[in-house]
Amino acid sequence: MTDHPRPTPDLAALRRRLAEFAAARNWQPYHTPKNLAAALSVEASELVEIFQWLTPEQSARVMDDPGSAHRVRDEVADVLAYLLQFCEVLGIDPLAALDAKIDRNESRFPAPDGNRE
C-alpha cells in the first residue's frame, strides 16, 4: 500500500469538523466569544514563545528542525482552530473579512508609484 498525502480540506470542511468535534463533547456552552478570544490569544502566545529568544536568522530557519517545525505547525493549527470557532460563533466569514480588510489597507496605504502591480 502506498502512502498518499491527504488532500487539503477547504475552509468550510474544517469549520464543520471543528463544530462536530465540539458538539460531540458538548463543548458549545464554553465556546463563547469571550472564551474563544481568550483561547486564541493564549495559542498565539504559545506560537510567539517558540520564537521568543531566537535571532532573526534562527527564526527564519525554524522549520529546518523537525522538532521545532512540528511545534510551529501545531500552534498554527491551534490558532486557526480557535479563530475559525470564534468566527463560527459570531457569524463572521473570515475570508470575506480578510478580503474587505485588504481592500481598506490598499486605500489606507497605497503602494509607491513604482511598486504597483
Side-chain angles (χ1 to χ4, degrees):
M1 179 166 107
T2 56
D3 194 19
H4 297 287
R6 285 173 59 169
T8 302
D10 64 18
L11 194 60
L14 291 172
R15 290 175 83 166
R16 279 192 306 276
R17 283 189 68 195
L18 286 167
E20 290 167 1
F21 183 88
R25 289 151 183 84
N26 196 29
W27 287 354
Q28 301 98 319
Y30 308 104
H31 285 187
T32 64
K34 179 191 83 63
N35 288 350
L36 291 169
L40 176 58
S41 175
V42 169
E43 294 302 337
S45 295
E46 289 179 5
L47 181 60
V48 170
E49 182 182 31
I50 296 168
F51 295 89
Q52 184 174 10
W53 302 113
L54 300 182
T55 65
E57 296 77 18
Q58 290 169 323
S59 70
R61 295 189 310 271
V62 74
M63 299 305 286
D64 294 345
D65 173 63
S68 63
H70 176 73
R71 289 179 59 214
V72 169
R73 280 191 297 273
D74 276 357
E75 295 308 332
V76 165
D78 288 342
V79 167
L80 183 56
Y82 279 119
L83 179 60
L84 291 176
Q85 290 170 324
F86 179 82
C87 289
E88 187 72 25
V89 166
L90 292 179
I92 297 169
D93 177 337
L95 297 181
L98 177 58
D99 188 49
K101 181 66 175 187
I102 293 170
D103 286 347
R104 286 191 304 278
N105 283 345
E106 286 173 341
S107 295
R108 288 179 62 205
F109 308 104
D113 288 337
N115 293 336
R116 293 194 187 272
E117 292 184 30

